[in-house]
Amino acid sequence: MKIFSQNLINYNVAIPENSILRINLAWINSLDELNSLLKKYENSQIFLDLPIGRTKPPNNKYSFDDLITVLTSNNNIKYFAISNVNSSEDLKKFIDKIPKHISVVPKIESPEGVLNIKGIIDILGDEKIIMLDHDDLFSNLIKKNENVEKFKDYITSLTEFCQKNNVIMLR
């Protein structure tokens, strides 16, 4: 799986064939802008990344419910990442609304997400993919006054779980 950031298109770098364009919705100011990008890259597979609970700028000004029409009307959207997934409960409100042609990709950014990975994976469809955000995991440890030495342990634990359970882990 080769995923390329939308930052490349800001520099007119072509997205290679048989690759995936990741669009971080934090950097998309409007649904019109998103629809424009999706039309321009209609022959590419798209990985949308929705920031939930994002505190740092930039941040989008539309809701998940506003995105439903976009998701249902664009068959090239193949993956939909959701930030700050700490448990299966965080995904339940999305799972039933996301069209079946799209794989949900929980973003693991906290110790809770790592510790609850089995429950998170269990509610996903056939394709089991997660995304690990190293920076946010480390920041979360600091914020919670946890020993930062645990950082490597969390990553090792998550990596081993994914390997044993045939889960693709994006980093």
Side-chain angles (χ1 to χ4, degrees):
M1 182 180 285
K2 295 178 186 175
I3 301 175
F4 293 87
S5 169
Q6 76 203 58
N7 292 326
L8 288 178
I9 62 179
N10 294 334
Y11 300 100
N12 295 317
V13 174
I15 303 302
E17 272 190 54
N18 300 319
S19 61
I20 300 164
L21 174 62
R22 176 178 173 252
I23 299 174
N24 185 338
L25 293 169
W27 294 92
I28 303 298
N29 296 316
S30 69
L31 293 178
D32 287 339
E33 182 181 348
L34 175 58
N35 282 318
S36 223
L37 268 177
L38 292 171
K39 179 143 180 67
K40 183 174 181 179
Y41 294 95
E42 65 188 351
N43 294 322
S44 297
Q45 289 188 12
I46 303 295
F47 183 111
L48 287 183
D49 192 336
L50 178 67
I52 299 288
R54 185 178 172 105
T55 56
K56 58 188 174 189
N59 210 334
N60 56 33
K61 305 292 186 246
Y62 43 85
S63 71
F64 170 72
D65 288 333
D66 295 333
L67 291 169
I68 298 298
T69 303
V70 174
L71 296 175
T72 56
S73 61
N74 289 279
N75 288 329
N76 61 331
I77 300 172
K78 300 297 181 190
Y79 305 95
F80 190 80
I82 300 166
S83 296
N84 295 304
V85 175
N86 293 320
S87 72
S88 61
E89 288 298 313
D90 294 333
L91 287 177
K92 286 183 180 174
K93 59 186 165 203
F94 300 102
I95 294 285
D96 292 334
K97 293 181 180 181
I98 294 176
K100 299 300 178 213
H101 72 274
I102 299 174
S103 294
V104 175
V105 180
K107 288 180 71 175
I108 307 301
E109 306 179 53
S110 70
E112 294 83 9
V114 174
L115 296 173
N116 292 321
I117 192 63
K118 171 99 173 75
I120 292 168
I121 291 304
D122 285 347
I123 69 166
L124 296 178
D126 292 336
E127 192 167 26
K128 310 273 189 213
I129 303 172
I130 65 164
M131 181 179 251
L132 171 62
D133 188 321
H134 295 85
D135 292 342
D136 285 348
L137 175 59
F138 190 79
S139 296
N140 204 293
L141 289 172
I142 293 170
K143 184 176 169 184
K144 295 180 180 210
N145 292 319
E146 281 195 45
N147 184 344
V148 294
E149 296 298 318
K150 290 183 177 181
F151 177 69
K152 288 181 183 177
D153 295 336
Y154 283 119
I155 291 176
T156 299
S157 170
L158 189 59
T159 301
E160 288 174 356
F161 175 87
C162 289
Q163 289 171 344
K164 287 178 186 172
N165 294 280
N166 296 317
V167 175
I168 296 170
M169 181 168 65
L170 306 175
R171 297 180 181 209

